[in-house]
């Protein structure tokens, strides 16, 4: 079975600082990887997805993630944090074209003015 | 284009009661998945429906059930509610493409927040 580990349930950064949210996955086959963001009282919104076309994936709102097979990682980064980035971020993996996704436990991002 | 609509958004029930939650997917999306989100467990997969058939099921007791109608709308039901069923229940729909890059993107609704007293 798939599993996703997000290191750090809470991350705080200063406005303008680098955002780094960590995600490691376990998969016996090349996975599809996703990052979703959840704002308070809302559902999850797709930030970006990795589908093997390119290891560096660019998403919305200035976020990007790099797939590193040797490290089984898919960390999310943003060069400069904005107050509006404060939210819960979820890394997810699916094995194939099916719709059974496995989510990490989430990382709550706080941006300090 | 309307998004995924879940109703009701908030509801309060007491132990032993049952509840039915509804999900209307994005027009044209035939796959609907349900997830339970709690602070301690995160998002856990409940089940997925495609063309009125349950394709996958997560590790939940039989009290949790669902169905999908011919118009792709889906409902989930929880019977004999327990305190631990208090959660945000999220529905997601997708196109379930057969080709392309193979990755099906889930589009989530805002969720139904269930409180069991």
């Amino acid at each position: 079975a798939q599993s996703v580990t997000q290191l750090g349930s809470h991350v705080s950064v200063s406005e303008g600082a680098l955002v780094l949210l960590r995600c490691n996955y376990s998969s016996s086959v090349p996975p599809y990887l996703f990052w979703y963001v959840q704002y308070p009282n809302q559902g999850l919104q797709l930030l970006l997805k990795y589908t093997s076309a390119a290891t560096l994936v660019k998403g919305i709102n200035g976020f990007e993630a790099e797939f590193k097979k040797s490290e089984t990682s898919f960390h999310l980064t943003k060069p400069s944090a904005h107050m509006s980035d404060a939210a819960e971020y979820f890394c997810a993996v699916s094995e194939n074209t099916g719709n059974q996704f496995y989510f990490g436990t989430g990382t709550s991002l706080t941006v300090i003015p | 284009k309307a998004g995924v609509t879940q109703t009701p958004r908030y509801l309060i029930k007491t132990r032993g009661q049952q509840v039915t939650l509804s999900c209307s997917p994005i027009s044209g999306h035939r796959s609907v998945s349900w997830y339970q989100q709690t602070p301690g467990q995160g998002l856990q997969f409940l089940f997925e429906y495609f063309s009125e058939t349950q394709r996958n099921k997560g590790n939940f007791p039989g009290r949790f059930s669902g169905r999908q109608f011919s118009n792709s709308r889906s409902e989930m039901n929880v019977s004999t509610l327990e305190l631990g069923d208090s959660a945000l229940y999220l529905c997601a729909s997708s196109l379930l493409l057969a080709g392309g890059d193979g990755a099906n993107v889930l589009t989530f609704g805002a969720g139904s927040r269930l409180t069991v007293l």
Side-chain angles (χ1 to χ4, degrees):
Chain A
Q2 297 272 10
S3 70
V4 177
T5 303
Q6 290 185 241
L7 190 61
S9 58
H10 298 275
V11 170
S12 294
V13 299
S14 298
E15 191 174 14
L18 171 72
V19 176
L20 171 61
L21 305 182
R22 300 177 187 275
C23 172
N24 288 87
Y25 67 92
S26 68
S27 173
S28 58
V29 299
Y32 298 111
L33 294 159
F34 306 80
W35 275 99
Y36 280 85
V37 60
Q38 186 178 34
Y39 298 101
N41 299 315
Q42 295 186 28
L44 278 70
Q45 177 184 358
L46 179 71
L47 272 178
L48 49 82
K49 65 177 182 180
Y50 166 76
T51 60
S52 79
T55 57
L56 183 63
V57 182
K58 293 187 183 300
I60 62 171
N61 301 338
F63 284 93
E64 62 183 34
E66 186 173 9
F67 172 69
K68 291 187 177 180
K69 185 177 179 180
S70 61
E71 299 177 6
T72 60
S73 69
F74 191 56
H75 301 330
L76 182 71
T77 60
K78 182 175 180 178
S80 177
H82 191 272
M83 296 298 295
S84 61
D85 295 328
E88 187 92 16
Y89 291 81
F90 293 90
C91 181
V93 61
S94 71
E95 271 185 349
N96 49 36
T97 55
N99 270 357
Q100 186 161 355
F101 282 56
Y102 299 87
F103 285 84
T105 52
T107 298
S108 177
L109 175 66
T110 299
V111 182
I112 303 167
Chain B
K1 185 170 170 180
V4 178
T5 304
Q6 291 188 247
T7 58
R9 286 293 313 277
Y10 302 92
L11 67 166
I12 299 173
K13 295 285 187 179
T14 56
R15 278 182 300 174
Q17 288 187 309
Q18 73 155 9
V19 66
T20 299
L21 309 178
S22 178
C23 173
S24 294
I26 290 174
S27 178
H29 285 194
R30 295 171 63 192
S31 171
V32 174
S33 304
W34 289 88
Y35 289 81
Q36 181 194 65
Q37 184 179 19
T38 58
Q41 300 293 322
L43 280 106
Q44 293 189 291
F45 174 75
L46 281 157
F47 26 66
E48 183 221 350
Y49 287 87
F50 179 77
S51 291
E52 302 178 64
T53 300
Q54 186 181 89
R55 294 192 337 140
N56 292 296
K57 189 179 192 313
N59 189 26
F60 277 82
R63 300 185 296 107
F64 292 81
S65 62
R67 59 178 176 169
Q68 186 180 33
F69 302 95
S70 58
N71 61 358
S72 294
R73 190 177 70 85
S74 177
E75 290 181 347
M76 68 163 284
N77 183 78
V78 187
S79 62
T80 319
L81 284 166
E82 300 177 358
L83 294 179
D85 296 333
S86 294
L88 180 67
Y89 289 89
L90 292 165
C91 168
S93 72
S94 81
L95 274 172
L96 200 66
L97 296 171
D101 60 14
N104 292 305
V105 173
L106 298 179
T107 301
F108 284 85
S112 293
R113 184 166 296 281
L114 170 65
T115 301
V116 182
L117 303 176

